[in-house]
Amino acid sequence: MEFEVQARGRATRRFIAIILIALGVIFLVLGLVLAGASASFLSDAKRTRGSVVALEWREDDHGENHPPAAYPVVEFTSADGMPRRFQSSTGSNPPSYEKGERVEVLYRADSPEDARINGFASLWLLPLIFGGTGLLASAGGTAVAMARRWSSRRTRIQTPAT
């Protein structure tokens, strides 16, 4: 009876370790892909100045009772002389930017509608979240796996010889 319970416990810990490590690797790879996309965007991006012309307040779709977040709407003039407008994909509460604030804008010359504010959140927040979550999950899975091995070694050492 005791052996069955121990065997089930070991199988459960092994399953948890494998799932945590697998999810961690998936999230880490996703974080690296997003970081690569940001780095690629930065290498091709043109820089210009723009102005925050509005803050669009939106409710997040989390289904919970979260306060709305402010997403800055920015106007800038691209290299071809055309006025452009975009809404940042990153919102916050309290707002990170104020209406009328001047910001540096990054955009692709071949597609100026693909523009971002040159700031940490708009460029690196998602890669950091996914990569950090991946590292933590992988480390947690590795810790569960190592604890299982350490526990089984300790049990073997403490078992008296007959």
Side-chain angles (χ1 to χ4, degrees), residues 106-127:
L106 302 171
Y107 68 96
R108 294 191 190 273
D110 58 343
S111 95
E113 60 279 352
D114 184 12
R116 301 178 197 173
I117 295 173
N118 188 10
F120 177 80
S122 62
L123 295 170
W124 303 110
L125 187 60
L126 280 179

Side-chain angles (χ1 to χ4, degrees), residues 17-133:
I18 290 169
I19 292 298
L20 280 174
I21 292 170
L23 284 175
V25 167
I26 289 168
F27 273 71
L28 186 57
V29 167
L30 185 56
L32 290 171
V33 167
L34 290 170
S38 285
S40 172
F41 178 81
L42 283 171
S43 70
D44 296 339
K46 298 274 187 197
R47 297 173 187 270
T48 190
R49 300 295 293 171
S51 293
V52 176
V53 294
L55 295 174
E56 183 172 316
W57 290 88
R58 292 192 319 221
E59 297 277 338
D60 287 332
D61 298 330
H62 296 301
E64 298 174 14
N65 199 12
H66 289 291
Y71 292 80
V73 177
V74 178
E75 283 186 354
F76 69 99
T77 303
S78 58
D80 61 7
M82 296 290 296
R84 308 283 180 170
R85 179 185 276 228
F86 72 96
Q87 180 179 351
S88 177
S89 61
T90 308
S92 62
N93 190 354
S96 298
Y97 301 96
E98 295 178 6
K99 187 175 177 181
E101 185 174 346
R102 302 276 296 159
V103 294
E104 185 174 34
V105 175
L106 302 171
Y107 68 96
R108 294 191 190 273
D110 58 343
S111 95
E113 60 279 352
D114 184 12
R116 301 178 197 173
I117 295 173
N118 188 10
F120 177 80
S122 62
L123 295 170
W124 303 110
L125 187 60
L126 280 179
L128 184 64
I129 288 172
F130 279 100
T133 301

